[in-house]
Every structure is written in structure tokens, then in C-alpha cells.
């Protein structure tokens, strides 16, 4: 079954890749080593409505999937079997992108409530992160979140056209991007990821590219443009970087995931 409107991706770095597809209501599980594909259409007895964000915990072998149609986050094992479902007190507004840190904590961007919820690996709500740049303390339609290996939090604050960066201790680093149509600005940011050296990657559906920034916000490189050749995109969306610094980019309207390798200087 081909991808229809893939949204987000996660991978284990050893040949297993998972892609959410709200267009089909499925999670596509790819085993590249065995050249095998499986399609997961439900969490336990409950069919997915619109599986969106996905994250991977390598320590526990757990996948976390947000479904804004059901307003829940599900924990699955690597065979797609349900381990649990959770939501914050008062429920989600609209859960979207999510990420898992080294301790197994799960960060979930809530688009309508303007916060990032934090859960432990047992699904217990630990609190919520708000914006340190906005007077309201709320993000403006946050759709994605990524975590640096030092514990820094990168929130894709979509309608403010930037990524807000917070230190592990909860203090502000700053905002990266801003509204515009020049390199370094963002127009329709859709995905966010961070590599092992703290470089920030942001996909932009208006530019059909991804931009790479330093943690301080300096634009380092942009990749892509509209097209279907390798390295080009048509509505890029979610991204994921595994422990080997492979970058997975959902290329929505080309109905594929492109994989890149970051080569660190030695």
C-alpha cells in the first residue's frame, strides 16, 4: 500500500523505520533489513483516526504515537501491540509532534493549548512547558518538538514562524527563524530535528526545503527546493534524527521519506 499523506517518521537506526500516514489512518512499519512492510491500523481494539506525531524510546523499545482525531497518545511495542494510552489532566487540545528524551520522558506539542506536555515513561503527566518569549506564556500553534542530547528543548512555534529554544533548566536560549521569504526565515515550518552536535533542522513546506541552523540561530545551510529528484521536496513535513545521525525527512506530496547522513568533522 503506497503512502498517501505521510506526516511524521521515527527510526531505530538499525533498519526499522515507522511513518505515520493520516491519509490512510495507518502507521507504516518498514524493516529495511528484511525488506518487509507492515501496516498498523489500530491501538489495541481502537482504530486510529489520524495518526500524526511519532517518537521512539530505544531503551524501552517503545513507540509513542499521537492521534489528534482521538486526542490521545498511544504507547506501542515494536510489533505494534498496545502498551498504554495517556492524556494530560483536562485532556489534549490537539496533540501533534512528539519526542522522547534519554530518560524516557515524552514531550508532546499541543497545538490548541499552546504548550508542550511532558509525561514520564509510565504515561504520568509531569507538567507542561510554555513559551518564554510570549507574554501569554503560550506558544502560537506549536506543532513539533525536538530534544538535544544535552536536554535542550526545541519547540516549533508554527504561527510565530520560529523555533523557541529552552535550556535543560527551563531558561530561554532564544528564538530561531522568523516570518519571511529569505534564507534563515520561515514561512510554513512543518518539522524539526536536532543532530548529535546540536544543529537544528527545520523543514518548510512553503520553500520545499530544509534549513540547518546553529544552536545560536546562525543559518548554516539550506537543502532542497521543489521537485521529485533526490534531495528535492514537495511539501516536506516531519523529520527524525537517529543515534547514528541519519536524518529522515517526510516528503509528503512525493509520498516518500528521504534519508540523509550528517557527517561530523573529526
Amino acid at each position: 500500500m503506497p503512502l498517501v499523506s505521510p506526516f511524521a517518521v521515527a527510526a531505530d537506526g538499525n533498519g526499522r523505520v515507522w511513518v505515520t500516514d493520516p491519509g490512510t489512518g495507518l502507521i507504516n512499519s518498514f524493516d529495511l533489513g528484511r525488506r518487509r512492510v507492515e501496516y498498523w491500523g489500530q491501538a489495541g481494539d481502537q482504530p486510529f483516526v489520524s495518526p500524526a506525531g511519532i517518537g521512539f524510546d530505544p531503551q524501552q523499545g517503545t513507540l509513542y504515537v499521537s492521534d489528534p482525531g482521538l486526542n490521545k497518545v498511544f504507547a506501542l511495542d515494536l510489533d505494534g501491540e498496545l502498551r498504554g494510552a495517556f492524556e494530560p489532566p483536562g485532556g489534549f487540545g490537539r496533540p501533534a509532534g512528539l519526542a522522547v528524551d534519554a530518560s524516557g520522558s515524552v514531550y508532546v506539542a499541543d497545538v490548541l493549548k499552546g504548550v508542550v506536555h511532558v509525561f514520564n515513561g509510565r504515561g504520568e503527566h509531569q507538567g507542561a512547558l510554555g513559551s518564554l518569549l510570549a507574554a501569554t506564556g503560550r506558544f502560537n500553534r506549536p506543532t513539533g518538538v525536538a530534544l538535544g542530547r544535552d536536554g535542550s528543548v526545541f519547540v516549533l512555534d508554527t504561527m510565530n514562524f520560529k523555533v523557541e529554544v529552552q535550556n535543560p533548566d527551563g531558561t530561554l536560549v532564544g528564538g530561531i527563524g522568523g516570518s519571511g521569504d529569505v534564507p534563515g526565515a520561515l514561512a510554513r515550518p512543518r518539522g524539526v530535528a536536532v543532530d548529535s552536535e546540536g544543529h537544528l533542522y527545520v523543514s518548510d513546506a512553503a520553500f520545499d526545503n530544509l534549513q540547518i541552523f546553529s544552536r545560536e540561530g546562525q543559518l548554516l545551510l539550506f537543502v532542497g527546493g521543489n521537485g521529485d529528484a533526490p534531495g528535492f521536496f514537495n511539501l516536506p513535513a516531519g523529520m527524525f534524527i537517529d543515534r547514528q545521525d541519519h536524518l529522515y525527512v517526510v516528503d509528503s506530496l512525493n509520498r516518500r521519506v528521504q534519508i540523509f547522513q550528517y557527517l561530523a568533522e573529526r
Side-chain angles (χ1 to χ4, degrees):
M1 180 181 296
L3 296 169
V4 173
S5 55
F7 182 81
V9 59
D12 69 354
N14 295 308
R16 295 288 300 274
V17 182
W18 301 274
V19 182
T20 60
D21 191 341
T24 60
L26 298 173
I27 297 170
N28 297 259
S29 174
F30 298 92
D31 187 328
L32 303 182
R34 294 191 292 170
R35 296 181 178 272
R36 179 179 176 182
V37 183
E38 295 179 345
Y39 305 100
W40 303 344
Q42 57 192 51
D45 295 328
Q46 187 163 30
F48 294 120
V49 174
S50 55
I54 190 166
F56 175 59
D57 180 354
Q59 304 301 320
Q60 301 298 321
T62 301
L63 288 165
Y64 295 95
V65 180
S66 67
D67 190 320
L70 297 171
N71 258 357
K72 290 182 179 179
V73 169
F74 297 97
L76 309 174
D77 69 17
L78 301 190
D79 294 317
E81 298 298 321
L82 180 66
R83 286 183 168 173
F86 53 88
E87 55 188 312
F92 288 110
R94 183 178 177 84
L98 55 82
V100 185
D101 72 12
S103 71
S105 294
V106 184
Y107 293 67
V108 183
D110 191 326
V111 177
L112 296 184
K113 293 196 173 180
V115 299
V116 174
H117 297 286
V118 184
F119 301 85
N120 63 23
R122 297 184 297 277
E124 298 165 339
H125 193 245
Q126 304 297 293
L129 305 179
S131 173
L132 301 177
L133 286 172
T136 61
R138 293 287 186 268
F139 300 104
N140 190 359
R141 298 295 192 265
T143 57
V145 58
L147 304 169
R149 296 192 183 180
D150 65 350
S152 298
V153 182
F154 299 76
V155 180
L156 186 56
D157 195 5
T158 303
M159 295 308 295
N160 282 325
F161 308 100
K162 67 181 62 175
V163 175
E164 184 169 327
V165 187
Q166 299 184 10
N167 283 315
D169 62 4
T171 58
L172 177 68
V173 175
I176 295 175
S179 179
D181 59 1
V182 298
L186 303 175
R188 290 181 64 195
R190 301 248 304 174
V192 61
V194 182
D195 69 24
S196 62
E197 296 188 344
H199 303 122
L200 173 69
Y201 299 70
V202 184
S203 62
D204 197 304
F207 304 145
D208 285 319
N209 71 4
L210 60 92
Q211 299 188 76
I212 307 172
F213 299 86
S214 71
R215 188 173 182 271
E216 294 72 32
Q218 178 186 0
L219 178 63
L220 303 175
L221 184 68
F222 58 89
V223 177
N226 182 260
D228 58 10
F232 290 79
F233 304 97
N234 193 351
L235 203 71
M239 296 189 293
F240 183 86
I241 294 180
D242 67 22
R243 303 299 290 185
Q244 286 75 44
D245 275 332
H246 297 117
L247 170 66
Y248 303 78
V249 184
V250 174
D251 190 4
S252 294
L253 293 187
N254 284 326
R255 299 182 180 183
R256 65 186 180 184
V257 174
Q258 297 198 60
I259 305 173
F260 303 82
Q261 173 70 66
Y262 170 64
L263 301 176
E265 291 186 17
R266 302 299 182 190

